[in-house]
Amino acid sequence: MSFRARRLTLPLLVLALASGSAKAEEGMWTFDNLPTKKIQAAYGWAPDQAWLDHVRLSALRFPGGSGSFVSADGLVLTNHHVGRGWIQRVSDKDHDYVKNGFAAQDRDHEIKVPGLELLTLMAMDNITDRLAKVVKPGASEAEAHKLREGEIERIKKEMQEKTGLTCEHVTLYQGGEHWIYSYKKHTDVRLVFAPEMQIAFFGGDYDNFTYPRHNLDFSIFRVYENGKPCHPKAFLHWTRTGLKAGDLTFVTGHPGRTSRQDTLAQMIYSRDVAIPMRLKAMERRKEALVEYGKSSPEAARQVNTQIFGVENGLKAVNGYWSGLKNPEAMARIAAAEKDLRAKVDADPKLSAEVGDAWARIEEALKVSGNLAKESQIVGTADSTLLGYALALVRITDEEHLPSDKRLPEYSDANLKAAKTRLSVHAPFYAEQEIFMFTQGLEHAAKELGGAHPYIQAMLDGKPAAEVARAAVSGSKLADPEFRKALLAGGKKAVAECQDPMILLAQKLDPLSREVRRKQVEQVQSVLTECGARIAKARFAAYGKETYPDATFTLRLTYGPVAEYPANGTLIQPFTTFGGLFDRYDGWGGNAAAAHGGAWTLPQRWIDKRGALDPAMPFNFVHKVDIIGGNSGSPVVDRKGELVGLIFDGDIDMLPGNYFYDDKANRGVSVDARGLLHALDKVYGASALVAELTGK
């Protein structure tokens, strides 16, 4: 998904923070607080509880994205780009399933994907009142944060033991509410089908974050239980009628993160400090991966998916940044905050409760700026093996402590999952590891200087390349059986281990913990506690008629299939198979391979061109409020049937990380009819089509 430099339309920022209201299509709504009255008023229909339960139980969370159950036998639909890293994991130098696609001949040939876990949201419990009781008046932010975190881990453990589900703490409304979301975890997931990369990402970087589009961006997996296909409690039935312009759509997915309820000071910090640093780090990683990929065709295959991920992130973050650099949008955000602060100042009770929250946040952000470089660099320096080693050192050290004294990721509620991750097999490429570790160490030395304790601990006066090669070549941590043996041996085994990566991790651990302690005590605790005070004041001033920021938890957004104005004209709501070939022909086809082959097609698509209906819908745009993490989200209609698959948004949706633009914000989806048409006519996947349609 790319960022194209052009003038953004002036955002019509909805001051939800000030008014508590949102335009009909705005909002990433939690399932406990859907604005059904607004939907009813706007569209003459609203979902009931049975409809909501059905789409919730059909939805799945992927690592970094979304998906859904789409058959009675556990078929799962998501984007190709969400599944791409996992498709890469089961590929090798002789079988490049990312580039060439994959189709299982039958269920016996579906490929198990090591480490891939999917989650179904089963229950949501509000724990706000219980948490409020553990913090006594007069406690400092750091003390309150520590008490609250301890209670959260106790609640998670209680609920996991009671239900057998995987429980996560979810903070909503900047700390105004706290919930436990309980998930069923699916750990046996197998690859069923993936199209070729070229049709999944047709148009490449040039067309990314634009529309019209012609991307067959989907992949299909299957969940198994006890060695047999899963029979989910709910799944989405495929549409039998499809969409037309103006039809109401719903998107159920897991938007990653938005910051619309941040304070003005937090947004300015993101604009001036956090985002520029993040972009530089991403650019550095991309450059290193590209350089390594040039060393051989096999090296290029190894890193292509990683490069795509970094480029995708770069374009998204640049888009977020563009919103914060829009002076008129920032003026509106400032006005919203001014309005809220005036209401707080006018109410003695609210004023006493909020106290100096805004000022304390500004102070904490100054501290964060001073810690930013160390926080970003003091770590595993792009080394997968050092990441394994640090986890082993910490797990075997922390597991002997009481749960509330541990790092949160190793609490009783999280420890089993942390150990499981260390036991998963993943492809490992030693030369890539050496190259990236060298680059990471060299960058750290350049930024921090040779006298910094981290550099002294990692390099000990030696060149980065020498340290990286010796550590990687001498380590056995690429072998999951070796990692499992160290876990089983516990603290003694790790302490006695002479693996060079373990030795480096033992030096890194105290340095990393100290940086983290400063961040938690001086920054994060202040932002959390003061943010919660402001959130409660907002509730008191405006009520709970708005939505919380995205938190990579299940949300529902809605809106119609709709054209939008751009480039002096109107952009059509649907693209077609005919439009795909028009784009292909217009760029000279495969023979020309213009601009790196961005608009070329796999040969099978050329061969099957005559069998395809040129009027069949391919992609469509609709007026829905989405952000990164929504990729792979199912699009459903009023009947709760699958009508499409979110895979992108237009460029004007990117500033939506901070505000919503109701004129040009659009989601871009694969049309369910086009997806079936391709499976049938291009790939001859008749059995898969029959299962998806229930025929």
Side-chain angles (χ1 to χ4, degrees):
M1 302 178 183
S2 74
F3 176 81
R4 280 279 191 77
R6 67 178 179 83
R7 187 182 177 192
L8 294 174
T9 58
L10 178 63
L12 298 180
L13 174 61
V14 179
L15 299 184
L17 303 186
S19 68
S21 64
K23 293 194 186 302
E25 293 83 15
E26 182 188 359
M28 302 169 190
W29 299 91
T30 55
F31 273 61
D32 67 287
N33 189 36
L34 191 67
T36 51
K37 291 182 180 179
K38 282 187 177 181
I39 299 173
Q40 180 71 46
Y43 299 101
W45 177 89
D48 59 17
Q49 192 59 49
W51 189 98
L52 291 171
D53 288 344
H54 178 73
V55 298
R56 171 176 58 82
L57 291 170
S58 300
L60 290 162
R61 192 173 83 185
F62 270 75
S66 303
S68 58
F69 281 120
V70 288
S71 87
D73 285 346
L75 282 182
V76 171
L77 181 67
T78 189
N79 289 148
H80 185 274
H81 77 263
V82 171
R84 187 169 299 145
W86 303 102
I87 300 168
Q88 174 81 12
R89 178 166 288 199
V90 297
S91 299
D92 57 38
K93 61 184 180 64
D94 298 317
H95 303 89
D96 190 345
Y97 298 132
V98 173
K99 178 182 178 182
N100 301 318
F102 172 80
Q105 299 172 22
D106 50 42
R107 292 184 184 181
D108 290 339
H109 289 85
E110 295 172 357
I111 303 175
K112 187 170 183 177
V113 185
L116 178 54
E117 296 180 342
L118 309 182
L119 299 175
T120 303
L121 180 60
M122 306 302 292
M124 301 167 285
D125 294 279
N126 192 329
I127 62 168
T128 307
D129 291 343
R130 178 170 170 179
L131 285 186
K133 296 174 183 176
V134 304
V135 179
K136 305 303 179 186
S140 68
E141 288 108 350
E143 291 169 339
H145 184 77
K146 188 174 182 179
L147 288 168
R148 191 173 282 110
E149 288 296 312
E151 185 67 9
I152 287 166
E153 293 305 320
R154 281 188 287 274
I155 296 170
K156 284 169 59 179
K157 183 181 179 183
E158 289 171 11
M159 296 184 71
Q160 287 187 175
E161 290 175 347
K162 180 180 178 180
T163 65
L165 300 172
T166 296
C167 297
E168 293 184 359
H169 168 236
V170 178
T171 302
L172 300 178
Y173 302 101
Q174 311 301 84
E177 288 185 354
H178 295 266
W179 291 70
I180 296 293
Y181 280 23
S182 299
Y183 297 90
K184 181 177 181 180
K185 183 181 289 187
H186 309 282
T187 58
D188 186 350
V189 185
R190 308 186 191 185
L191 177 63
V192 176
F193 186 92
E196 303 90 340
M197 173 74 170
Q198 188 53 39
I199 188 62
F201 196 45
F202 182 77
D205 201 31
Y206 297 100
D207 281 4
N208 220 354
F209 278 136
T210 68
Y211 187 82
R213 295 287 287 282
H214 303 87
N215 287 35
L216 197 68
D217 193 350
F218 84 99
S219 57
I220 297 175
F221 297 81
R222 191 188 304 275
V223 169
Y224 281 71
E225 290 182 348
N226 301 316
K228 297 180 180 180
C230 164
H231 301 300
K233 186 174 181 180
F235 68 92
L236 299 176
H237 293 268
W238 214 272
T239 180
R240 298 188 183 277
T241 56
L243 292 170
K244 62 182 184 300
D247 281 354
L248 177 62
T249 65
F250 295 86
V251 176
T252 55
H254 302 81
R257 186 181 186 276
T258 56
S259 303
R260 297 177 186 180
Q261 294 180 349
D262 277 5
T263 65
L264 179 63
Q266 286 174 292
M267 291 192 186
I268 292 172
Y269 179 83
S270 293
R271 182 193 67 194
D272 296 345
V273 181
I275 290 180
M277 285 190 67
R278 185 179 175 190
L279 288 171
K280 286 181 181 178
M282 294 168 77
E283 288 282 6
R284 181 186 65 80
R285 179 168 174 79
K286 176 188 170 182
E287 290 170 5
L289 289 167
V290 169
E291 184 178 347
Y292 174 75
K294 291 176 180 177
S295 63
S296 72
E298 170 58 15
R301 183 195 69 80
Q302 293 171 14
V303 299
N304 277 344
T305 294
Q306 295 178 63
I307 292 171
F308 174 88
V310 176
E311 288 180 337
N312 194 37
L314 276 168
K315 291 155 191 172
V317 175
N318 267 306
Y320 305 157
W321 198 23
S322 71
L324 293 178
K325 292 189 287 186
N326 184 315
E328 293 185 48
M330 292 298 283
R332 292 174 181 267
I333 291 167
E337 184 168 298
K338 182 179 180 181
D339 183 82
L340 175 59
R341 294 181 74 159
K343 291 183 183 300
V344 169
D345 290 342
D347 185 325
K349 182 181 178 182
L350 275 184
S351 183
E353 290 175 351
V354 173
D356 58 352
W358 276 284
R360 291 286 294 133
I361 286 174
E362 291 180 22
E363 292 168 6
L365 293 172
K366 291 177 182 177
V367 175
S368 183
N370 294 332
L371 296 174
K373 183 179 287 189
E374 278 193 324
S375 297
Q376 185 183 73
I377 293 174
V378 176
T380 56
D382 290 329
S383 168
T384 298
L385 296 187
L386 186 53
Y388 289 149
L390 186 61
L392 284 164
V393 168
R394 287 184 170 174
I395 286 173
T396 55
D397 186 46
E398 298 267 323
E399 64 183 343
H400 299 289
L401 300 173
S403 182
D404 62 351
K405 302 295 183 184
R406 301 178 201 161
L407 296 174
E409 60 266 35
Y410 304 125
S411 68
D412 283 343
N414 299 325
L415 185 60
K416 182 179 178 181
K419 288 185 174 183
T420 299
R421 286 193 294 272
L422 277 174
S423 303
V424 173
H425 171 76
F428 177 75
Y429 309 106
E431 287 303 314
Q432 181 189 151
E433 176 79 357
I434 292 168
F435 184 89
M436 295 303 293
F437 193 21
T438 299
Q439 295 282 318
L441 290 172
E442 288 177 345
H443 171 72
K446 178 182 176 181
E447 292 296 317
L448 297 178
H452 193 281
Y454 172 71
I455 302 304
Q456 292 182 344
M458 292 293 101
L459 298 184
D460 194 25
K462 300 173 185 175
E466 180 183 331
V467 170
R469 183 163 292 277
V472 174
S473 301
S475 179
K476 298 179 181 178
L477 288 176
D479 181 359
E481 295 303 317
F482 184 69
R483 301 196 298 268
K484 286 193 279 188
L486 284 176
L487 277 176
K491 189 172 183 176
K492 184 174 185 295
V494 172
E496 294 176 353
C497 181
Q498 293 302 299
D499 188 284
M501 285 293 184
I502 293 289
L503 297 179
L504 283 176
Q506 289 167 340
K507 296 178 181 179
L508 169 61
D509 185 33
L511 300 172
S512 175
R513 284 177 185 265
E514 178 59 17
V515 172
R516 178 171 173 163
R517 181 193 65 78
K518 292 176 183 177
Q519 273 287 354
V520 170
E521 293 183 2
Q522 300 177 36
V523 180
Q524 193 55 52
S525 64
V526 177
L527 298 183
T528 299
E529 299 305 316
C530 292
R533 281 191 256 158
I534 293 171
K536 290 172 184 175
R538 187 178 294 120
F539 284 155
Y542 306 124
K544 191 186 169 183
E545 294 186 3
T546 188
Y547 56 93
D549 269 319
T551 53
F552 197 42
T553 51
L554 189 64
R555 303 294 180 90
L556 189 145
T557 183
Y558 63 92
V561 177
E563 76 285 351
Y564 66 99
N567 303 324
T569 186
L570 287 177
I571 306 298
Q572 79 267 23
F574 293 94
T575 62
T576 63
F577 278 69
L580 167 72
F581 284 102
D582 178 71
R583 196 107 167 107
Y584 166 81
D585 291 333
W587 281 105
N590 287 356
H595 296 281
W599 295 281
T600 57
L601 286 170
Q603 186 59 43
R604 78 172 78 217
W605 280 77
I606 309 304
D607 296 341
K608 297 291 185 179
R609 182 172 183 172
L612 295 168
D613 178 359
M616 178 66 68
F618 204 101
N619 292 162
F620 65 89
V621 284
H622 44 146
K623 201 172 185 180
V624 290
D625 191 0
I626 61 168
I627 202 74
N630 271 119
S631 292
S633 298
V635 183
V636 298
D637 61 11
R638 300 183 190 212
K639 293 181 286 187
E641 292 182 345
L642 183 92
V643 293
L645 177 68
I646 282 279
F647 73 91
D648 204 358
D650 65 348
I651 197 169
D652 293 311
M653 55 78 69
L654 289 172
N657 192 55
Y658 296 99
F659 51 80
Y660 180 75
D661 175 358
D662 75 325
K663 274 198 171 182
N665 192 308
R666 295 292 186 274
V668 184
S669 293
V670 181
D671 194 292
R673 293 166 292 183
L675 196 159
L676 277 188
H677 192 57
L679 281 173
D680 182 26
K681 302 299 183 182
V682 178
Y683 298 100
S686 56
L688 198 52
V689 170
E691 183 175 352
L692 290 170
T693 57
K695 296 180 179 177

